[in-house]
Amino acid sequence: VGRDKGRGGREQLQGREGGMVYVGNLESFVEAGQQLFISSPGKTRYLVKYRHVDSKLVLKVTDDKVCLKYKTDEQSDLKRIDRLNAFFLRLMCAHTVNSETAAAIAALIEEEDQMQVVPTASSQHSGKKGKRK
């Protein structure tokens, strides 16, 4: 197993088939994790673990033959990780799992993200209670 400095200076393991692989960036992890789940949906597990000791979030996708891991301490990754969680939850609940189902779920999540509207200051409740008589 060779070691390599990944994007952003993170160390990345370049593993063999059957080994654990730390993926260097989130986009690659998402893509590889989705393909792994589609190839064997009955055996694939998705895990999220927060390590308070070193303030790192660890994501893992495995089918017991291939193990993909991604570790981050960047708050900017949280929105994309939230989308990944929604994707896996919906894909795990689907009746059939294939690339068409995955593409439809990804499109639905993207559409929902675009539809979310940030509330303006005028539409928020001021928090003050009215006077009681």
Side-chain angles (χ1 to χ4, degrees), residues 3-41:
R3 293 185 183 260
D4 182 13
K5 289 286 183 180
R7 197 180 104 190
R10 294 183 185 152
E11 189 168 309
Q12 177 178 352
L13 293 176
Q14 297 177 342
R16 61 196 180 279
E17 182 70 26
M20 181 176 59
V21 178
Y22 273 94
V23 181
N25 61 30
L26 186 57
E27 291 80 18
S28 299
F29 175 79
V30 169
E31 195 172 305
Q34 289 174 352
Q35 291 303 317
L36 183 62
F37 188 84
I38 290 168
S39 67
S40 59

Side-chain angles (χ1 to χ4, degrees), residues 49-68:
K49 179 172 67 172
Y50 178 71
R51 292 180 41 89
H52 184 69
V53 175
D54 52 2
S55 299
K56 300 231 185 250
L57 185 68
V58 180
L59 306 176
K60 177 179 171 182
V61 179
T62 183
D63 67 352
D64 293 329
K65 293 179 184 174
V66 177
C67 180
L68 304 170

Side-chain angles (χ1 to χ4, degrees), residues 3-133:
R3 293 185 183 260
D4 182 13
K5 289 286 183 180
R7 197 180 104 190
R10 294 183 185 152
E11 189 168 309
Q12 177 178 352
L13 293 176
Q14 297 177 342
R16 61 196 180 279
E17 182 70 26
M20 181 176 59
V21 178
Y22 273 94
V23 181
N25 61 30
L26 186 57
E27 291 80 18
S28 299
F29 175 79
V30 169
E31 195 172 305
Q34 289 174 352
Q35 291 303 317
L36 183 62
F37 188 84
I38 290 168
S39 67
S40 59
K43 294 183 178 184
T44 304
R45 297 184 309 277
Y46 171 63
L47 296 93
V48 179
K49 179 172 67 172
Y50 178 71
R51 292 180 41 89
H52 184 69
V53 175
D54 52 2
S55 299
K56 300 231 185 250
L57 185 68
V58 180
L59 306 176
K60 177 179 171 182
V61 179
T62 183
D63 67 352
D64 293 329
K65 293 179 184 174
V66 177
C67 180
L68 304 170
K69 291 180 99 174
Y70 176 74
K71 188 179 353 179
T72 185
D73 58 357
E74 300 293 324
Q75 191 169 3
S76 61
D77 287 341
L78 291 179
K79 178 103 174 148
R80 292 181 290 179
I81 291 170
D82 188 39
R83 274 191 238 134
L84 179 63
N85 290 340
F87 175 82
F88 275 126
L89 286 172
R90 289 183 183 185
L91 196 58
M92 289 174 187
C93 294
H95 292 288
T96 58
V97 177
N98 53 33
S99 57
E100 292 83 24
T101 306
I105 290 172
L108 182 63
I109 291 171
E110 188 67 33
E111 183 179 316
E112 288 174 353
D113 283 345
Q114 291 176 358
M115 289 178 59
Q116 288 180 350
V117 178
V118 178
T120 61
S122 62
S123 66
Q124 291 179 348
H125 183 56
S126 65
K128 294 182 180 179
K129 293 183 179 180
K131 292 184 179 181
R132 294 187 180 178
K133 293 183 181 179

